[in-house]
Amino acid sequence: LRTPYRASFDRLTGDLYIGDVGQGICEELNVQPAASAGGENYGWRLREGTIATPTGGVGGAKPLGAIDPIFDYPHLSTQTCRFPGAGSPFRGVAITGGYVYRGPVPELAGRYFFADFGTGRLWSLLWDGSDPAGFDGSNFSDLVDHGDDPRYAPDVGTIGSVSSFGEDDAGNLYVVDLGGEIFRVPEPAANQLALVAIACLA
């Protein structure tokens, strides 16, 4: 790994999700299944995301036995990662890893929520459960950008640089921005998919 920025275990399955910040081209999301014996090589420094590291003259073929991410996305100024195409909202600056949702809203169950620190975009996806030996950056389904969804607009404040995520005993998911605001998604009392500011520490 290069710069893991927030890792978490799925509280139901024990699978480990790792957001790994790239050097200058690709951001990546890695998964280590609970059944793993550990010791995986995720390819750095030869690899950035699913491609050879394009800077510094160190890029190369994927090392034997190395594990690719289940998902990677390019920086705003590049288009060299596996995903996505031009004009896609899934571009950014630096990934902030999150959590698999295991809270009280059934339609969100199993979705991995994460964000981009530089853009403040909130995203989620479903890992397809495939074997790590076959990971190639496309091992997910139902990738969703929540950034323009009014159901995810804070009732007060704004989501800036997402610096972390958290969860409580009931599985409610919290988003923390660098300005000190904490938001909950969703609001269980109303069963809405809205982020709700619950505290401001700034």
Side-chain angles (χ1 to χ4, degrees):
L1 296 165
R2 179 182 179 270
T3 309
Y5 193 66
R6 310 307 184 209
S8 67
F9 291 98
D10 180 339
R11 65 197 294 167
L12 180 65
T13 67
D15 300 324
L16 175 63
Y17 288 71
I18 309 165
D20 193 21
V21 177
Q23 177 167 296
I25 303 295
C26 299
E27 302 300 301
E28 65 183 71
L29 174 59
N30 298 287
V31 173
Q32 180 174 301
S36 166
E40 279 81 353
N41 175 1
Y42 291 99
W44 179 258
R45 188 159 199 266
L46 290 172
R47 311 292 287 176
E48 187 171 349
T50 55
I51 65 172
T53 304
T55 55
V58 296
K62 186 170 80 169
L64 184 65
I67 306 297
D68 273 338
I70 66 162
F71 171 71
D72 66 348
Y73 66 92
H75 286 196
L76 294 170
S77 60
T78 66
Q79 295 186 28
T80 56
C81 299
R82 175 182 176 91
F83 185 89
S88 168
F90 302 101
R91 311 175 78 78
V93 178
I95 191 171
T96 301
Y99 281 84
V100 175
Y101 183 85
R102 297 297 180 189
V105 180
E107 57 266 34
L108 297 182
R111 300 195 66 82
Y112 178 75
F113 281 82
F114 63 109
D116 185 81
F117 177 86
T119 65
R121 305 296 285 194
L122 178 66
W123 300 324
S124 69
L125 56 71
L126 295 167
W127 171 41
D128 67 9
S130 56
D131 187 280
F135 287 179
D136 64 0
S138 65
N139 312 94
F140 62 90
S141 64
D142 200 24
L143 177 64
V144 176
D145 175 23
H146 301 285
D148 295 324
D149 186 336
R151 296 173 301 174
Y152 287 80
D155 59 345
V156 295
T158 58
I159 300 176
S161 303
V162 178
S163 58
S164 193
F165 287 79
E167 60 178 355
D168 63 21
D169 285 348
N172 293 303
L173 182 68
Y174 297 86
V175 182
V176 182
D177 72 17
L178 198 61
E181 294 174 305
I182 303 172
F183 301 91
R184 182 173 58 206
V185 52
E187 170 53 36
N191 200 29
Q192 296 174 337
L193 304 184
L195 288 166
V196 179
I198 61 168
C200 183
L201 307 178

